[in-house]
Amino acid sequence: AALGMKGAIAMAEKIIGERENTYMLQQFSNPSNPKIHELTTGPEITSALEAEGLQCDIFISGVGTGGTITGAGKHLRKKNPNVQIIAVEPAESPVLSGGKPGPHK
């Protein structure tokens, strides 16, 4: 935990290097991460809102890997090109705004 996400990734890479038949999903760089949110999370939000006669005008999402906000946001923008997409990050790990990554608990 003291090394945070970098430590977790380093450990995963070590394990993969030591074992056969392993695969690292690479959640930060795997294009399937945002794609699945474009195909599932975004449509789920749209469907729920449209059932009430509404559309998504603002989408606010916590950000870790960026998969949810990227994928769901892409779908939502197709439905409403003027949708505002807002990322929220932990104050203790303000990576997007230029800060240092904090510990993952």
Side-chain angles (χ1 to χ4, degrees):
L3 298 176
M5 187 58 70
K6 287 184 181 182
I9 292 170
M11 178 59 76
E13 289 170 342
K14 179 180 182 290
I15 291 168
I16 285 181
E18 296 172 349
R19 299 182 184 178
E20 293 182 26
N21 300 318
T22 58
Y23 179 76
M24 190 161 165
L25 296 176
Q26 300 289 350
Q27 65 181 354
F28 289 97
S29 60
N30 186 337
S32 294
N33 181 357
K35 187 66 174 178
I36 196 65
H37 291 288
E38 180 183 357
L39 297 175
T40 60
T41 311
E44 182 179 349
I45 293 166
T46 298
S47 177
L49 289 170
E50 287 178 349
E52 299 295 325
L54 303 169
Q55 73 172 8
C56 185
D57 295 317
I58 301 172
F59 177 57
I60 302 171
S61 176
V63 177
T65 65
T68 302
I69 196 166
T70 301
K74 185 174 181 180
H75 171 82
L76 296 170
R77 190 159 314 273
K78 287 178 188 174
K79 292 291 193 172
N80 176 7
N82 297 315
V83 66
Q84 290 182 307
I85 299 172
I86 301 169
V88 178
E89 63 183 346
E92 301 81 24
S93 189
V95 177
L96 293 177
S97 57
K100 295 185 179 190
H104 288 67
K105 300 175 184 174

